[in-house]
Amino acid sequence: MATFILLLLMSIFSTFIHAIPTSTSQGISRRSVTVDLPRNPAYAPNGPRQYSRALKKWGVAVPGDVDDVTNSFRGGETGDVNAASIMGDREYLSRVGFGTPFQYLNVDLDTGSADVWVYSSETKVEEPREDIFVVEKSSTAKLLNGTTWMITYADSSYAWGHAFHDSIDIGGIPLHNAVVQSAVAVSHSLSADKDIDGIFGMAYKLHSQVIPKQPTVLETLQAHLDKPLFTADLKYRSDEGAYTFGYIDSDRHIDEIKYTALLPNSTFWEFNLTGVHVAGQNIWYLQNWRVIADTGTTFMLLSPDVVDMYYSSVPTSRQDRSLGGVWHFPCNTTLPDFELGLANGWVATVPGKYINYTVFEDMPGQCMGALQPFYSEDFGILGDIFLKAVYAVFDVAGGRIGFAHKDLDL
Ligand SMILES: *[C@@H]1O[C@H](CO)[C@@H](O)[C@H](O)[C@H]1NC(C)=O
Ligand SMILES: *[C@@H]1O[C@H](CO)[C@@H](O)[C@H](O)[C@H]1NC(C)=O
Ligand SMILES: *[C@@H]1O[C@H](CO)[C@@H](O)[C@H](O)[C@H]1NC(C)=O
Ligand SMILES: *[C@@H]1O[C@H](CO)[C@@H](O)[C@H](O)[C@H]1NC(C)=O
Ligand SMILES: *[C@@H]1O[C@H](CO)[C@@H](O)[C@H](O)[C@H]1NC(C)=O
């Protein structure tokens, strides 16, 4: 029953939720984290690092100076790319180049999946698309013979194709021999979104769906970065947001970054949320909820009891069973801010204004909440609605996620 409602919710708003591959909820993609990275032809040759990796793999302590040398051999590169709000923050798109010379496409940087795929000259679509990766125009495209991939997202939309080695320009950082997945077929529910030219997965340690297994673009990128991290500063109804790679942009946050460890063995940017609070109420609701920070999901999706608790403070709100359990309210309702606390004491405030997501087409005067229930026993999703209220640091090497406050345009 719960699954049924979830699927209904997902299908109604299918274009809004396309991150998080389905395998997540079944735990299929969960694999253990080890230091044994797959061999990656894109890594710049780095003897010291390979040595220290080999030592670590076999459980041998790494002498201090070797680790120091390793650090000084980091790629040293930094970059950034715009994150432009599309359709009232339905998604955020960034321009990323593929091939030689680079062909720039608008892709959705998605921390909730690990595949980097694009519409290409190989994609069979009903209606022609404006911007695609024309494989034939890239002098460096090299088919990875025998590779296939298929990704099914939580809303049962899907895409499949095969993979190339080719160059990528992400935020001005050139990656060579990165694994670029070219779509051969894409489900209508995905291709109906004409704004997105591809999805750029940046999940923590998740493998991509490419068979046989290939290094992810994030692994390839990580080796190039000055600091092995990237940051997200999504902005409310604005194209001034940005992702930075290899550095933290101190102009984009106003206080100290507080880090939280990712949950052990998680392949996602997953951590514990430890408390929630509705502004104006006396009580904090304390419990551990596993949540995944996901730039590729529009909404904040939390356990139904938390969501009920929030809307119980909004007397005009209503949960619509005929719409798969979606919460809505008259558009003139002023929503309270929602606070989320972490184990390290850090508290994020999601402004009530952000939770007023959009007006319903079929129900004029009724607005849909950006906080909605997620009928998973396991975890919740902190999508864009949360992320645009914070400055987020995705520390790949540190296995942690950091947050700071920033100036919100309210
Ligand atoms: C791809 O692999 C298949 C079977 O392994 C082989 O028959 C074919 O010649 C290969 N094609 C290229 C272009 O290498
Ligand atoms: C993490 O993985 C290790 C090794 O596979 C395992 O021993 C451990 O129980 C796992 N921890 C959790 C919390 O799943
Ligand atoms: C996260 O929450 C779970 C469930 O309460 C708890 O068992 C676990 O120890 C917590 N992990 C961390 C890292 O706080
Ligand atoms: C919102 O609009 C309804 C009519 O559509 C009205 O009855 C109500 O008083 C309004 N509420 C506020 C807070 O303005
Ligand atoms: C809620 O959002 C709708 C649609 O964007 C807007 O028309 C309405 O004024 C907003 N309501 C409030 C109280 O800000």
Side-chain angles (χ1 to χ4, degrees):
M1 181 63 179
T3 312
F4 172 71
I5 293 173
L6 171 65
L7 287 175
L8 200 57
L9 171 70
M10 293 295 195
S11 58
I12 291 169
F13 300 103
S14 59
T15 51
F16 301 98
I17 308 168
H18 52 69
I20 301 295
T22 27
S23 47
T24 315
S25 42
Q26 296 149 8
I28 291 168
S29 297
R30 292 178 190 284
R31 303 201 185 140
S32 61
V33 173
T34 67
V35 292
D36 184 15
L37 293 173
R39 206 179 78 80
N40 179 352
Y43 280 126
N46 180 330
R49 187 161 55 230
Q50 252 99 57
Y51 172 56
S52 89
R53 192 174 292 144
L55 293 184
K56 282 175 180 159
K57 176 175 174 183
W58 297 106
V60 180
V62 180
D65 52 348
V66 172
D67 248 0
D68 292 347
V69 173
T70 302
N71 288 336
S72 70
F73 268 73
R74 289 215 65 82
E77 293 179 63
T78 60
D80 52 76
V81 75
N82 226 223
S85 161
I86 301 295
M87 301 281 286
D89 294 356
R90 182 182 69 195
E91 62 221 4
Y92 289 85
L93 298 184
S94 304
R95 282 190 84 68
V96 173
F98 297 88
T100 307
F102 290 123
Q103 301 172 37
Y104 287 88
L105 300 177
N106 292 323
V107 299
D108 192 341
L109 261 64
D110 177 12
T111 59
S113 67
D115 290 64
V116 170
W117 69 265
V118 290
Y119 290 92
S120 74
S121 44
E122 304 182 310
T123 314
K124 296 175 183 67
V125 283
E126 288 154 35
E127 297 161 57
R129 302 183 66 88
E130 230 169 82
D131 291 309
I132 56 169
F133 173 50
V134 182
V135 179
E136 298 75 19
K137 283 190 182 163
S138 171
S139 62
T140 45
K142 213 163 59 208
L143 178 68
L144 287 167
N145 194 16
T147 55
T148 57
W149 59 273
M150 162 135 196
I151 186 160
T152 312
Y153 296 96
D155 58 354
S156 66
S157 61
Y158 64 86
W160 63 266
H162 44 243
F164 287 85
H165 264 163
D166 210 340
S167 300
I168 292 180
D169 167 12
I170 173 86
I173 302 172
L175 305 178
H176 302 294
N177 290 318
V179 177
V180 175
Q181 298 171 228
S182 158
V184 171
V186 177
S187 67
H188 180 72
S189 51
L190 276 177
S191 62
D193 183 343
K194 292 281 191 273
D195 297 307
I196 293 193
D197 303 330
I199 293 181
F200 198 99
M202 300 191 79
Y204 173 55
K205 293 244 168 153
L206 190 65
H207 295 302
S208 76
Q209 302 292 319
V210 179
I211 302 167
K213 198 174 114 185
Q214 302 293 322
T216 63
V217 174
L218 182 57
E219 282 167 350
T220 305
L221 172 64
Q222 190 193 340
H224 286 259
L225 299 177
D226 187 25
K227 292 198 175 74
L229 54 79
F230 64 94
T231 79
D233 176 17
L234 304 180
K235 294 217 184 283
Y236 179 79
R237 310 277 151 105
S238 157
D239 52 14
E240 303 280 300
Y243 291 96
T244 75
F245 304 95
Y247 76 104
I248 291 169
D249 186 346
S250 56
D251 289 343
R252 290 186 175 272
H253 62 95
I254 55 179
D255 58 5
E256 197 191 337
I257 291 156
K258 289 279 182 59
Y259 290 92
T260 304
L262 299 180
L263 296 183
N265 301 356
S266 182
T267 53
F268 290 95
W269 294 102
E270 185 174 30
F271 53 98
N272 277 347
L273 175 68
T274 58
V276 292
H277 174 241
V278 181
Q281 302 211 334
N282 294 328
I283 45 160
W284 269 82
Y285 205 49
L286 298 180
Q287 193 183 311
N288 282 335
W289 296 275
R290 281 167 49 197
V291 287
I292 293 173
D294 180 9
T295 56
T297 290
T298 312
F299 300 113
M300 186 155 65
L301 303 173
L302 295 174
S303 81
D305 53 336
V306 171
V307 176
D308 287 357
M309 191 268 303
Y310 178 81
Y311 288 111
S312 70
S313 69
V314 184
T316 53
S317 66
R318 204 159 74 76
Q319 187 175 26
D320 204 320
R321 297 284 168 197
S322 69
L323 279 175
V326 163
W327 283 94
H328 58 86
F329 38 80
C331 288
N332 62 2
T333 308
T334 301
L335 296 174
D337 294 351
F338 187 53
E339 295 184 307
L340 300 92
L342 305 183
N344 60 6
W346 198 79
V347 174
T349 302
V350 178
K353 176 178 157 184
Y354 290 12
I355 300 173
N356 173 16
Y357 178 59
T358 191
V359 62
F360 268 115
E361 272 174 33
D362 309 350
M363 278 191 283
Q366 284 292 310
C367 277
M368 180 189 165
L371 170 63
Q372 295 290 348
F374 197 49
Y375 295 93
S376 149
E377 285 159 36
D378 272 321
F379 63 95
I381 310 271
L382 299 183
D384 299 339
I385 211 75
F386 169 84
L387 290 164
K388 60 195 159 186
V390 302
Y391 184 72
V393 179
F394 297 84
D395 185 347
V396 186
R400 56 185 189 162
I401 189 163
F403 296 110
H405 298 102
K406 67 184 179 191
D407 281 324
L408 300 179
D409 189 17
L410 293 176

PDB file of all heavy atoms in Angstrom, residues 5-17 155 299 320-326 360 362 368:
ATOM      1  N   ILE A   5       1.224   4.131  -2.947  1.00  0.00           N
ATOM      2  CA  ILE A   5       1.066   5.583  -2.823  1.00  0.00           C
ATOM      3  C   ILE A   5       2.318   6.289  -3.312  1.00  0.00           C
ATOM      4  O   ILE A   5       2.256   7.272  -4.024  1.00  0.00           O
ATOM      5  CB  ILE A   5       0.761   5.969  -1.358  1.00  0.00           C
ATOM      6  CG1 ILE A   5      -0.620   5.428  -0.978  1.00  0.00           C
ATOM      7  CG2 ILE A   5       0.819   7.476  -1.180  1.00  0.00           C
ATOM      8  CD1 ILE A   5      -0.967   5.596   0.462  1.00  0.00           C
ATOM      9  N   LEU A   6       3.451   5.718  -2.950  1.00  0.00           N
ATOM     10  CA  LEU A   6       4.706   6.330  -3.375  1.00  0.00           C
ATOM     11  C   LEU A   6       4.784   6.374  -4.896  1.00  0.00           C
ATOM     12  O   LEU A   6       5.079   7.395  -5.493  1.00  0.00           O
ATOM     13  CB  LEU A   6       5.893   5.534  -2.816  1.00  0.00           C
ATOM     14  CG  LEU A   6       7.250   5.949  -3.381  1.00  0.00           C
ATOM     15  CD1 LEU A   6       7.590   7.367  -2.970  1.00  0.00           C
ATOM     16  CD2 LEU A   6       8.325   4.994  -2.928  1.00  0.00           C
ATOM     17  N   LEU A   7       4.463   5.245  -5.497  1.00  0.00           N
ATOM     18  CA  LEU A   7       4.563   5.191  -6.956  1.00  0.00           C
ATOM     19  C   LEU A   7       3.607   6.183  -7.596  1.00  0.00           C
ATOM     20  O   LEU A   7       3.921   6.835  -8.571  1.00  0.00           O
ATOM     21  CB  LEU A   7       4.282   3.768  -7.452  1.00  0.00           C
ATOM     22  CG  LEU A   7       5.424   2.795  -7.156  1.00  0.00           C
ATOM     23  CD1 LEU A   7       5.040   1.393  -7.566  1.00  0.00           C
ATOM     24  CD2 LEU A   7       6.710   3.226  -7.837  1.00  0.00           C
ATOM     25  N   LEU A   8       2.440   6.301  -6.999  1.00  0.00           N
ATOM     26  CA  LEU A   8       1.452   7.237  -7.513  1.00  0.00           C
ATOM     27  C   LEU A   8       2.001   8.653  -7.420  1.00  0.00           C
ATOM     28  O   LEU A   8       1.977   9.418  -8.374  1.00  0.00           O
ATOM     29  CB  LEU A   8       0.173   7.106  -6.695  1.00  0.00           C
ATOM     30  CG  LEU A   8      -1.087   7.644  -7.355  1.00  0.00           C
ATOM     31  CD1 LEU A   8      -1.303   6.955  -8.701  1.00  0.00           C
ATOM     32  CD2 LEU A   8      -2.272   7.391  -6.438  1.00  0.00           C
ATOM     33  N   LEU A   9       2.545   8.960  -6.259  1.00  0.00           N
ATOM     34  CA  LEU A   9       3.124  10.293  -6.058  1.00  0.00           C
ATOM     35  C   LEU A   9       4.228  10.514  -7.084  1.00  0.00           C
ATOM     36  O   LEU A   9       4.301  11.543  -7.744  1.00  0.00           O
ATOM     37  CB  LEU A   9       3.687  10.406  -4.639  1.00  0.00           C
ATOM     38  CG  LEU A   9       4.521  11.659  -4.355  1.00  0.00           C
ATOM     39  CD1 LEU A   9       3.629  12.881  -4.329  1.00  0.00           C
ATOM     40  CD2 LEU A   9       5.269  11.516  -3.045  1.00  0.00           C
ATOM     41  N   MET A  10       5.051   9.498  -7.225  1.00  0.00           N
ATOM     42  CA  MET A  10       6.176   9.609  -8.141  1.00  0.00           C
ATOM     43  C   MET A  10       5.691   9.810  -9.567  1.00  0.00           C
ATOM     44  O   MET A  10       6.270  10.559 -10.329  1.00  0.00           O
ATOM     45  CB  MET A  10       7.013   8.325  -8.101  1.00  0.00           C
ATOM     46  CG  MET A  10       7.710   8.115  -6.798  1.00  0.00           C
ATOM     47  SD  MET A  10       8.931   9.369  -6.512  1.00  0.00           S
ATOM     48  CE  MET A  10       9.852   8.616  -5.199  1.00  0.00           C
ATOM     49  N   SER A  11       4.621   9.091  -9.946  1.00  0.00           N
ATOM     50  CA  SER A  11       4.238   9.203 -11.345  1.00  0.00           C
ATOM     51  C   SER A  11       3.540  10.529 -11.618  1.00  0.00           C
ATOM     52  O   SER A  11       3.692  11.103 -12.677  1.00  0.00           O
ATOM     53  CB  SER A  11       3.383   8.021 -11.772  1.00  0.00           C
ATOM     54  OG  SER A  11       2.248   7.960 -10.960  1.00  0.00           O
ATOM     55  N   ILE A  12       2.827  11.029 -10.632  1.00  0.00           N
ATOM     56  CA  ILE A  12       2.181  12.323 -10.836  1.00  0.00           C
ATOM     57  C   ILE A  12       3.218  13.411 -11.026  1.00  0.00           C
ATOM     58  O   ILE A  12       3.089  14.277 -11.866  1.00  0.00           O
ATOM     59  CB  ILE A  12       1.264  12.661  -9.641  1.00  0.00           C
ATOM     60  CG1 ILE A  12       0.069  11.723  -9.639  1.00  0.00           C
ATOM     61  CG2 ILE A  12       0.797  14.116  -9.715  1.00  0.00           C
ATOM     62  CD1 ILE A  12      -0.747  11.791  -8.383  1.00  0.00           C
ATOM     63  N   PHE A  13       4.269  13.316 -10.239  1.00  0.00           N
ATOM     64  CA  PHE A  13       5.277  14.370 -10.317  1.00  0.00           C
ATOM     65  C   PHE A  13       6.574  13.841 -10.896  1.00  0.00           C
ATOM     66  O   PHE A  13       7.650  14.198 -10.487  1.00  0.00           O
ATOM     67  CB  PHE A  13       5.496  14.971  -8.932  1.00  0.00           C
ATOM     68  CG  PHE A  13       4.226  15.549  -8.406  1.00  0.00           C
ATOM     69  CD1 PHE A  13       3.496  14.881  -7.455  1.00  0.00           C
ATOM     70  CD2 PHE A  13       3.748  16.734  -8.923  1.00  0.00           C
ATOM     71  CE1 PHE A  13       2.305  15.401  -7.009  1.00  0.00           C
ATOM     72  CE2 PHE A  13       2.547  17.250  -8.489  1.00  0.00           C
ATOM     73  CZ  PHE A  13       1.824  16.581  -7.527  1.00  0.00           C
ATOM     74  N   SER A  14       6.406  12.964 -11.872  1.00  0.00           N
ATOM     75  CA  SER A  14       7.580  12.241 -12.352  1.00  0.00           C
ATOM     76  C   SER A  14       8.696  13.161 -12.812  1.00  0.00           C
ATOM     77  O   SER A  14       9.850  12.871 -12.620  1.00  0.00           O
ATOM     78  CB  SER A  14       7.189  11.301 -13.478  1.00  0.00           C
ATOM     79  OG  SER A  14       6.616  12.043 -14.519  1.00  0.00           O
ATOM     80  N   THR A  15       8.337  14.274 -13.395  1.00  0.00           N
ATOM     81  CA  THR A  15       9.418  15.115 -13.892  1.00  0.00           C
ATOM     82  C   THR A  15      10.164  15.805 -12.767  1.00  0.00           C
ATOM     83  O   THR A  15      11.223  16.357 -12.977  1.00  0.00           O
ATOM     84  CB  THR A  15       8.918  16.196 -14.867  1.00  0.00           C
ATOM     85  OG1 THR A  15       7.838  16.869 -14.248  1.00  0.00           O
ATOM     86  CG2 THR A  15       8.502  15.614 -16.185  1.00  0.00           C
ATOM     87  N   PHE A  16       9.599  15.765 -11.596  1.00  0.00           N
ATOM     88  CA  PHE A  16      10.259  16.456 -10.498  1.00  0.00           C
ATOM     89  C   PHE A  16      11.254  15.581  -9.759  1.00  0.00           C
ATOM     90  O   PHE A  16      12.088  16.060  -9.050  1.00  0.00           O
ATOM     91  CB  PHE A  16       9.229  16.953  -9.476  1.00  0.00           C
ATOM     92  CG  PHE A  16       8.230  17.889 -10.073  1.00  0.00           C
ATOM     93  CD1 PHE A  16       6.992  17.435 -10.455  1.00  0.00           C
ATOM     94  CD2 PHE A  16       8.552  19.215 -10.263  1.00  0.00           C
ATOM     95  CE1 PHE A  16       6.073  18.302 -11.003  1.00  0.00           C
ATOM     96  CE2 PHE A  16       7.645  20.083 -10.818  1.00  0.00           C
ATOM     97  CZ  PHE A  16       6.395  19.626 -11.188  1.00  0.00           C
ATOM     98  N   ILE A  17      11.064  14.289  -9.868  1.00  0.00           N
ATOM     99  CA  ILE A  17      11.885  13.385  -9.066  1.00  0.00           C
ATOM    100  C   ILE A  17      12.574  12.420 -10.003  1.00  0.00           C
ATOM    101  O   ILE A  17      11.984  11.483 -10.477  1.00  0.00           O
ATOM    102  CB  ILE A  17      11.011  12.555  -8.103  1.00  0.00           C
ATOM    103  CG1 ILE A  17      10.094  13.464  -7.304  1.00  0.00           C
ATOM    104  CG2 ILE A  17      11.875  11.717  -7.192  1.00  0.00           C
ATOM    105  CD1 ILE A  17       9.016  12.718  -6.558  1.00  0.00           C
ATOM    106  N   ASP A 155      10.947   6.888 -10.297  1.00  0.00           N
ATOM    107  CA  ASP A 155       9.620   7.091 -10.877  1.00  0.00           C
ATOM    108  C   ASP A 155       9.386   6.149 -12.059  1.00  0.00           C
ATOM    109  O   ASP A 155       8.476   6.346 -12.837  1.00  0.00           O
ATOM    110  CB  ASP A 155       9.471   8.544 -11.324  1.00  0.00           C
ATOM    111  CG  ASP A 155      10.534   8.933 -12.341  1.00  0.00           C
ATOM    112  OD1 ASP A 155      11.429   8.101 -12.597  1.00  0.00           O
ATOM    113  OD2 ASP A 155      10.483  10.047 -12.872  1.00  0.00           O
ATOM    114  N   PHE A 299      12.260  18.047  -4.310  1.00  0.00           N
ATOM    115  CA  PHE A 299      11.582  18.174  -3.022  1.00  0.00           C
ATOM    116  C   PHE A 299      12.414  17.782  -1.823  1.00  0.00           C
ATOM    117  O   PHE A 299      13.492  17.215  -1.956  1.00  0.00           O
ATOM    118  CB  PHE A 299      10.334  17.284  -3.021  1.00  0.00           C
ATOM    119  CG  PHE A 299       9.354  17.651  -4.081  1.00  0.00           C
ATOM    120  CD1 PHE A 299       9.106  16.789  -5.129  1.00  0.00           C
ATOM    121  CD2 PHE A 299       8.697  18.857  -4.024  1.00  0.00           C
ATOM    122  CE1 PHE A 299       8.196  17.140  -6.124  1.00  0.00           C
ATOM    123  CE2 PHE A 299       7.782  19.211  -4.996  1.00  0.00           C
ATOM    124  CZ  PHE A 299       7.544  18.341  -6.057  1.00  0.00           C
ATOM    125  N   ASP A 320      -4.082  15.233   0.149  1.00  0.00           N
ATOM    126  CA  ASP A 320      -5.053  14.823  -0.855  1.00  0.00           C
ATOM    127  C   ASP A 320      -4.847  13.370  -1.248  1.00  0.00           C
ATOM    128  O   ASP A 320      -3.933  13.041  -2.003  1.00  0.00           O
ATOM    129  CB  ASP A 320      -4.894  15.734  -2.088  1.00  0.00           C
ATOM    130  CG  ASP A 320      -6.163  15.790  -2.895  1.00  0.00           C
ATOM    131  OD1 ASP A 320      -6.804  14.733  -3.044  1.00  0.00           O
ATOM    132  OD2 ASP A 320      -6.507  16.888  -3.370  1.00  0.00           O
ATOM    133  N   ARG A 321      -5.718  12.510  -0.722  1.00  0.00           N
ATOM    134  CA  ARG A 321      -5.591  11.076  -1.009  1.00  0.00           C
ATOM    135  C   ARG A 321      -5.787  10.813  -2.498  1.00  0.00           C
ATOM    136  O   ARG A 321      -5.199   9.894  -3.057  1.00  0.00           O
ATOM    137  CB  ARG A 321      -6.615  10.270  -0.201  1.00  0.00           C
ATOM    138  CG  ARG A 321      -6.421  10.368   1.298  1.00  0.00           C
ATOM    139  CD  ARG A 321      -5.240   9.518   1.760  1.00  0.00           C
ATOM    140  NE  ARG A 321      -4.886   9.828   3.141  1.00  0.00           N
ATOM    141  CZ  ARG A 321      -3.735   9.516   3.710  1.00  0.00           C
ATOM    142  NH1 ARG A 321      -2.806   8.881   3.019  1.00  0.00           N
ATOM    143  NH2 ARG A 321      -3.483   9.831   4.960  1.00  0.00           N
ATOM    144  N   SER A 322      -6.619  11.628  -3.152  1.00  0.00           N
ATOM    145  CA  SER A 322      -6.862  11.381  -4.574  1.00  0.00           C
ATOM    146  C   SER A 322      -5.643  11.752  -5.415  1.00  0.00           C
ATOM    147  O   SER A 322      -5.560  11.440  -6.594  1.00  0.00           O
ATOM    148  CB  SER A 322      -8.091  12.156  -5.047  1.00  0.00           C
ATOM    149  OG  SER A 322      -7.791  13.537  -5.050  1.00  0.00           O
ATOM    150  N   LEU A 323      -4.696  12.453  -4.790  1.00  0.00           N
ATOM    151  CA  LEU A 323      -3.467  12.819  -5.510  1.00  0.00           C
ATOM    152  C   LEU A 323      -2.268  12.074  -4.929  1.00  0.00           C
ATOM    153  O   LEU A 323      -1.155  12.601  -4.890  1.00  0.00           O
ATOM    154  CB  LEU A 323      -3.218  14.323  -5.407  1.00  0.00           C
ATOM    155  CG  LEU A 323      -3.996  15.223  -6.355  1.00  0.00           C
ATOM    156  CD1 LEU A 323      -3.723  16.680  -6.043  1.00  0.00           C
ATOM    157  CD2 LEU A 323      -3.614  14.912  -7.804  1.00  0.00           C
ATOM    158  N   GLY A 324      -2.511  10.884  -4.431  1.00  0.00           N
ATOM    159  CA  GLY A 324      -1.397  10.093  -3.933  1.00  0.00           C
ATOM    160  C   GLY A 324      -0.823  10.602  -2.628  1.00  0.00           C
ATOM    161  O   GLY A 324       0.334  10.357  -2.309  1.00  0.00           O
ATOM    162  N   GLY A 325      -1.641  11.341  -1.863  1.00  0.00           N
ATOM    163  CA  GLY A 325      -1.183  11.766  -0.543  1.00  0.00           C
ATOM    164  C   GLY A 325      -0.364  13.042  -0.539  1.00  0.00           C
ATOM    165  O   GLY A 325       0.386  13.300   0.401  1.00  0.00           O
ATOM    166  N   VAL A 326      -0.536  13.850  -1.578  1.00  0.00           N
ATOM    167  CA  VAL A 326       0.205  15.106  -1.661  1.00  0.00           C
ATOM    168  C   VAL A 326      -0.407  16.180  -0.755  1.00  0.00           C
ATOM    169  O   VAL A 326      -1.619  16.326  -0.684  1.00  0.00           O
ATOM    170  CB  VAL A 326       0.204  15.608  -3.129  1.00  0.00           C
ATOM    171  CG1 VAL A 326       0.580  17.059  -3.216  1.00  0.00           C
ATOM    172  CG2 VAL A 326       1.140  14.755  -3.967  1.00  0.00           C
ATOM    173  N   PHE A 360      -1.122  24.646  -8.159  1.00  0.00           N
ATOM    174  CA  PHE A 360      -1.637  23.492  -8.913  1.00  0.00           C
ATOM    175  C   PHE A 360      -2.362  23.963 -10.167  1.00  0.00           C
ATOM    176  O   PHE A 360      -3.229  24.826 -10.094  1.00  0.00           O
ATOM    177  CB  PHE A 360      -2.657  22.726  -8.067  1.00  0.00           C
ATOM    178  CG  PHE A 360      -2.060  21.618  -7.265  1.00  0.00           C
ATOM    179  CD1 PHE A 360      -2.068  21.663  -5.886  1.00  0.00           C
ATOM    180  CD2 PHE A 360      -1.513  20.515  -7.890  1.00  0.00           C
ATOM    181  CE1 PHE A 360      -1.532  20.635  -5.135  1.00  0.00           C
ATOM    182  CE2 PHE A 360      -0.976  19.482  -7.153  1.00  0.00           C
ATOM    183  CZ  PHE A 360      -0.984  19.540  -5.774  1.00  0.00           C
ATOM    184  N   ASP A 362      -4.522  22.252 -11.908  1.00  0.00           N
ATOM    185  CA  ASP A 362      -5.919  21.792 -11.910  1.00  0.00           C
ATOM    186  C   ASP A 362      -6.736  22.347 -10.759  1.00  0.00           C
ATOM    187  O   ASP A 362      -7.946  22.159 -10.724  1.00  0.00           O
ATOM    188  CB  ASP A 362      -5.985  20.256 -11.801  1.00  0.00           C
ATOM    189  CG  ASP A 362      -5.099  19.596 -12.829  1.00  0.00           C
ATOM    190  OD1 ASP A 362      -4.607  20.334 -13.707  1.00  0.00           O
ATOM    191  OD2 ASP A 362      -4.893  18.386 -12.743  1.00  0.00           O
ATOM    192  N   MET A 368       1.081  23.602  -3.881  1.00  0.00           N
ATOM    193  CA  MET A 368       1.642  22.337  -3.448  1.00  0.00           C
ATOM    194  C   MET A 368       2.873  22.564  -2.582  1.00  0.00           C
ATOM    195  O   MET A 368       3.702  23.414  -2.888  1.00  0.00           O
ATOM    196  CB  MET A 368       2.035  21.532  -4.689  1.00  0.00           C
ATOM    197  CG  MET A 368       2.629  20.195  -4.348  1.00  0.00           C
ATOM    198  SD  MET A 368       3.313  19.420  -5.817  1.00  0.00           S
ATOM    199  CE  MET A 368       4.287  18.159  -5.029  1.00  0.00           C
TER     200      MET A 368
END
